Amino acid sequence: MGFFSKLKSGLQKTKEAVVIKFEEAFDTYTKVDDAFLEELEDILIMGDVGMDTAMKISDRLRESVKINHIDDVNAVREEVKKITADILNKGEAAHRLSENYPLVILVVGVNGVGKTTSIAKIANGLKNEGKSVQLVAADTFRAAAAEQLIIWGERIGINVIHHKEGSDPAAVIFDGIQSAKAKGTDVIICDTAGRLHNKKNLMAELNKMNKIIDREFPEAARETLLVIDGATGQNAKSQVKEFSEITDLTGIVLTKLDGTAKGGIVITISDEFDIPVKYIGVGEGVDDMQAFVPADFADALFDKGGETGE
Ligand SMILES: Nc1nc2c(ncn2[C@@H]2O[C@H](COP(=O)(O)OP(=O)(O)O)[C@@H](O)[C@H]2O)c(=O)[nH]1
Ligand SMILES: [Mg+2]
């Protein structure tokens, strides 16, 4: 399956919820009038786009229809894509990982959102691009967490630095850095525990990890990626808010978009926060992760038809 058809099939459930209704509106109305535009706004709101963002899209749409004298309902589709891509877009380079090496990536987020899986997917992608990668199991809270990362490491052929359950996450990172320095590794990716219910502890833990990296590896470029589960819909917003209060985030990874009709959350998050979405997860497999390209996402989401094409 090609990149674009995979993206479209990953967004299938959201397409069914929102885009199919769009289709019906496009079929029902023959001209671009107020009734048609109101219908589109309602569809966006009923989807998981979120009230404020849906209204922003429809306001811009209304303006563009007036200014550009759009009188063809199908041209409206292209306009919706353009407006959405514009909201998603934080600047061309912003959506890509830093290309300065060595690079240390801290991956944060609450339990179960897909951190460990996303790390494996990102690591595998970097490896396929020819980068050397080191994984660090700094989620020491449960033994199973490190084990899961180790299994992924074996599967994708990437070394995993780990300690015993309950050990200091910053100490695992310290070891990971020493090992990467000795080998001249390009990218270190650190898994962390997401105990957001204990915000103070989590903040202290992340601060300590950041301090160790600053001290031991000042020359390294840095990323802190927040992983959020797309299926949590509007609740994802509060996670972005809470984590951005705890630490400086450089990017967002939105997972599980394949299993949800709430893919519109990507648009809301992009609209409400100044943090670029860098990856989206569209399945459990190691290849089910896509670099986020705003225009492609908007195209895939609002493209005609529910089926995946190829
Ligand atoms: N369908 C689907 N499942 C995912 C995706 N990402 C992660 N998962 C699943 O979500 C569950 C939790 O993932 P895990 O990486 O352990 O989350 P963590 O607790 O944040 O490290 C696992 O069963 C993963 O296979 C995704 O993009 N799509
Ligand atoms: Mg995990």
Side-chain angles (χ1 to χ4, degrees):
M1 220 192 274
F3 171 86
F4 199 66
S5 31
K6 197 162 180 178
L7 179 57
K8 276 176 83 173
S9 75
L11 296 174
Q12 187 64 20
K13 292 211 169 129
T14 303
K15 289 176 76 70
E16 277 162 18
V18 181
V19 183
I20 304 300
K21 294 203 190 79
F22 253 73
E23 292 301 320
E24 286 164 9
F26 286 123
D27 287 342
T28 311
Y29 293 82
T30 50
K31 62 180 197 300
V32 182
D33 53 14
D34 268 349
F36 172 65
L37 292 171
E38 257 160 44
E39 173 96 22
L40 292 192
E41 181 176 320
D42 285 348
I43 292 167
L44 286 171
I45 290 171
M46 279 188 305
D48 226 63
V49 175
M51 180 80 93
D52 292 346
T53 305
M55 278 168 67
K56 183 186 271 187
I57 294 173
S58 68
D59 284 349
R60 285 199 201 169
L61 184 60
R62 218 163 254 137
E63 207 178 288
S64 169
V65 163
K66 212 166 33 191
I67 293 169
N68 301 310
H69 307 289
I70 295 173
D71 52 10
D72 167 19
V73 289
N74 276 304
V76 171
R77 176 200 309 283
E78 292 310 310
E79 207 51 41
V80 172
K81 280 187 197 170
K82 252 194 250 166
I83 293 165
T84 303
D86 187 54
I87 289 173
L88 296 171
N89 191 1
K90 305 281 182 188
E92 211 195 314
H95 298 280
R96 293 196 299 267
L97 282 183
S98 164
E99 285 171 12
N100 297 315
Y101 306 103
L103 169 65
V104 179
I105 306 173
L106 269 187
V107 178
V108 302
V110 300
N111 263 339
V113 290
K115 287 183 298 298
T116 307
T117 311
S118 297
I119 287 168
K121 292 169 174 178
I122 294 170
N124 191 55
L126 289 167
K127 188 187 172 202
N128 289 341
E129 284 170 23
K131 301 283 176 299
S132 52
V133 185
Q134 163 91 71
L135 298 180
V136 177
D139 178 355
T140 57
F141 195 60
R142 297 168 305 129
E147 277 158 26
Q148 192 191 353
L149 196 66
I150 292 165
I151 290 168
W152 270 117
E154 279 165 6
R155 216 180 286 169
I156 59 181
I158 293 179
N159 185 45
V160 180
I161 298 288
H162 57 95
H163 286 185
K164 286 200 308 283
E165 178 181 353
S167 56
D168 182 357
V172 197
I173 291 186
F174 179 92
D175 278 2
I177 290 172
Q178 304 317 322
S179 162
K181 274 165 123 176
K183 293 186 219 152
T185 304
D186 297 316
V187 186
I188 304 178
I189 311 181
C190 310
D191 200 2
T192 67
R195 288 172 287 156
L196 194 56
H197 57 275
N198 198 334
K199 211 165 154 181
K200 248 187 167 162
N201 275 0
L202 183 59
M203 195 190 268
E205 213 166 86
L206 289 171
N207 278 343
K208 193 169 173 193
M209 290 186 231
N210 278 318
K211 257 193 203 140
I212 290 287
I213 303 167
D214 288 341
R215 192 187 73 200
E216 298 299 320
F217 217 5
E219 67 271 39
R222 305 283 300 277
E223 292 263 5
T224 303
L225 302 180
L226 172 68
V227 180
I228 42 181
D229 176 345
T232 54
Q234 296 295 309
N235 182 39
K237 280 193 333 196
S238 62
Q239 288 177 23
V240 180
K241 193 169 164 293
E242 298 224 47
F243 271 92
S244 52
E245 285 163 9
I246 290 177
T247 190
D248 290 331
L249 302 171
T250 60
I252 289 172
V253 178
L254 259 153
T255 61
K256 309 191 195 183
L257 289 180
D258 52 303
T260 181
K262 297 177 175 174
I265 189 65
V266 180
I267 307 170
T268 312
I269 297 257
S270 302
D271 185 33
E272 296 191 12
F273 298 92
D274 201 26
I275 307 166
V277 175
K278 299 216 179 194
Y279 290 98
I280 52 171
V282 290
E284 293 187 274
V286 75
D287 295 321
D288 297 327
M289 178 72 103
Q290 296 202 310
F292 186 74
V293 181
D296 286 355
F297 185 86
D299 277 357
L301 193 56
F302 293 111
D303 220 11
K304 209 175 178 131
E307 72 285 342
T308 57
E310 295 137 71

